[in-house]
Amino acid sequence: MMKWPSVKLCLLFWAILFAVLFIMGEIIDLGVRKSNYSHYYKINLLANKRADPEIAVFGSSVGEVGIDPRVIENITGKRTYNYSIDGTRFLQYRGLVKELNESSASCKLVIFTETFFSLTKVDQLTEADRYMAHIRNNSIYESLYDVQPELAWKLKYIPFYKFVVMKHPYYKASILGLKSWIKNILPDDSLKGYTPKYRTWETGLDSINKSSKPVTIILDSITIEKYRLTIRELKHKGRKVLIIIPPVHKDGLALLPNLDVLRKALSSFEEEGVYFRDYSVNGISEDKSYFYNNSHLNDAGAKKFSGLLAGDINKLLREGGQ
């Protein structure tokens, strides 16, 4: 007759398994928090309160690939960093802005780089695992909770749920982070958060544009109010805020017939003492050689636009005597 293990042995087994998984998870998270890999590094800089530029850029991929901080630094003489993260709308990156605002002693100007979906309703996080190592950070947790509360709550409070969400890049970031930490390797941060795209206009995009239906922009009132609150928090710390819409190719603009809805909403924040600049229609918008798709600039386009933006930043800072 088969003999079943005792209750004590079963409890011991589960206690050991729990401890192993807990330690493993903590080591993986530690590696990510020390990592210089991809977007994890940007999040680490902010969550670990090591971000202190004079000009900080936030946004989604249109900001990430479209604004070169080095060009802005050369023209303005102000230390600049691009914290934009692809696919990330305002509600999700709001916690990162809050971390910068609470810790930076030098930041004079915060730039929000917005596109047609920035203020629309969102109920699903983009690449939630990028933020998991800092889920205990209140600012980051709250911004994730605003978008997808159930997932954010599980990540913070259910043991080992993170293993369900982890993707290959998370493990890679952890391994690279642990190696860098052990060997005390400093990050190569020469691009200052900028992700250049050395690409030309995508093949077949002209045909896709001709057959695509226009996009209707519907703004979310809750997102707009949180945007307003974030602006007030930044202004309270004496920081200037610049909201921009970067260049959009004219073919892409044709698919956004009610973009004025977004323009009007963003310009309304000027009542809060911020600056709004709409670059969606300008000379860059006419030239495909500056884009690789409707709303994303390639490296040549980013450098040209960054020079234009830097000139306006200089004017803005002079207005404030900075």
Side-chain angles (χ1 to χ4, degrees):
M1 185 175 179
M2 187 171 67
K3 194 172 182 180
W4 294 97
S6 68
V7 173
K8 286 184 178 179
L9 282 176
C10 288
L11 291 174
L12 179 61
F13 168 79
W14 286 110
I16 292 172
L17 180 61
F18 184 95
V20 169
L21 289 174
F22 177 80
I23 293 170
M24 185 185 302
E26 289 298 304
I27 291 173
I28 293 172
D29 286 351
L30 173 64
V32 174
R33 288 193 292 270
K34 300 292 183 181
S35 185
N36 305 325
Y37 175 61
S38 187
H39 300 96
Y40 298 96
Y41 181 57
K42 294 182 180 184
I43 296 168
N44 286 340
L45 282 175
L46 293 158
N48 295 332
K49 303 188 186 305
R50 290 188 285 114
D52 197 27
E54 293 173 280
I55 299 174
V57 180
F58 289 91
S60 60
S61 56
V62 295
E64 182 185 21
V65 306
I67 298 177
D68 188 340
R70 300 167 300 178
V71 174
I72 293 175
E73 282 189 348
N74 288 338
I75 295 174
T76 66
K78 305 293 185 184
R79 287 180 288 104
T80 306
Y81 202 93
N82 190 336
Y83 297 102
S84 300
I85 298 175
D86 68 80
T88 307
R89 306 186 193 201
F90 168 74
L91 275 187
Q92 188 166 334
Y93 74 70
R94 187 171 68 95
L96 300 178
V97 177
K98 189 171 183 178
E99 283 299 298
L100 174 84
N101 195 38
E102 289 178 353
S103 62
S104 175
S106 304
C107 186
K108 297 177 174 62
L109 174 67
V110 176
I111 300 174
F112 292 148
T113 313
E114 307 301 2
T115 188
F116 69 93
F117 58 69
S118 294
L119 300 182
T120 58
K121 187 174 183 179
V122 56
D123 56 11
Q124 187 169 355
L125 292 167
T126 301
E127 305 294 346
D129 65 321
R130 290 172 177 168
Y131 303 82
M132 284 195 309
H134 299 284
I135 197 65
R136 298 186 188 103
N137 177 296
N138 288 334
S139 299
I140 290 176
Y141 173 70
E142 287 171 8
S143 64
L144 300 184
Y145 189 89
D146 282 343
V147 177
Q148 199 170 351
E150 183 179 350
L151 177 57
W153 188 89
K154 287 179 178 177
L155 288 173
K156 185 172 183 179
Y157 294 109
I158 297 182
F160 317 128
Y161 191 80
K162 67 180 76 173
F163 289 108
V164 177
V165 180
M166 282 181 191
K167 297 179 181 178
H168 169 70
Y170 197 82
Y171 293 103
K172 181 176 180 179
S174 179
I175 292 170
L176 293 175
L178 290 171
K179 284 183 178 179
S180 299
W181 182 47
I182 293 169
K183 295 181 180 180
N184 196 27
I185 299 173
L186 296 176
D188 177 12
D189 201 16
S190 57
L191 295 178
K192 301 180 181 294
Y194 169 55
T195 305
K197 296 294 183 181
Y198 306 103
R199 295 162 59 180
T200 55
W201 189 254
E202 291 177 359
T203 303
L205 185 55
D206 290 335
S207 298
I208 294 172
N209 282 338
K210 288 178 181 178
S211 60
S212 295
K213 294 181 179 179
V215 176
T216 301
I217 300 170
I218 301 175
L219 305 184
D220 177 51
S221 59
I222 294 175
T223 302
I224 290 173
E225 285 311 305
K226 289 186 181 294
Y227 206 101
R228 192 180 309 278
L229 176 62
T230 301
I231 287 170
R232 289 175 179 174
E233 290 170 348
L234 290 166
K235 295 289 291 180
H236 182 70
K237 286 290 187 78
R239 311 191 201 282
K240 290 182 177 295
V241 178
L242 171 61
I243 304 170
I244 67 170
I245 303 177
V248 181
H249 188 264
K250 62 180 181 179
D251 293 351
L253 285 168
L255 296 173
L256 300 170
N258 72 328
L259 188 61
D260 276 343
V261 170
L262 177 65
R263 293 182 177 120
K264 185 177 179 180
L266 294 177
S267 65
S268 71
F269 293 118
E270 290 182 314
E271 297 173 0
E272 302 289 339
V274 309
Y275 300 85
F276 171 64
R277 298 289 184 271
D278 178 16
Y279 300 99
S280 60
V281 181
N282 60 50
I284 297 174
S285 305
E286 301 290 323
D287 194 339
K288 287 180 182 176
S289 69
Y290 291 130
F291 295 83
Y292 64 90
N293 63 27
N294 292 331
S295 56
H296 290 83
L297 296 165
N298 57 25
D299 183 59
K303 283 182 169 52
K304 187 172 182 65
F305 172 56
S306 298
L308 173 64
L309 176 60
D312 285 345
I313 290 172
N314 266 339
K315 294 176 186 176
L316 184 156
L317 292 177
R318 280 199 296 270
E319 286 181 22
Q322 296 178 341

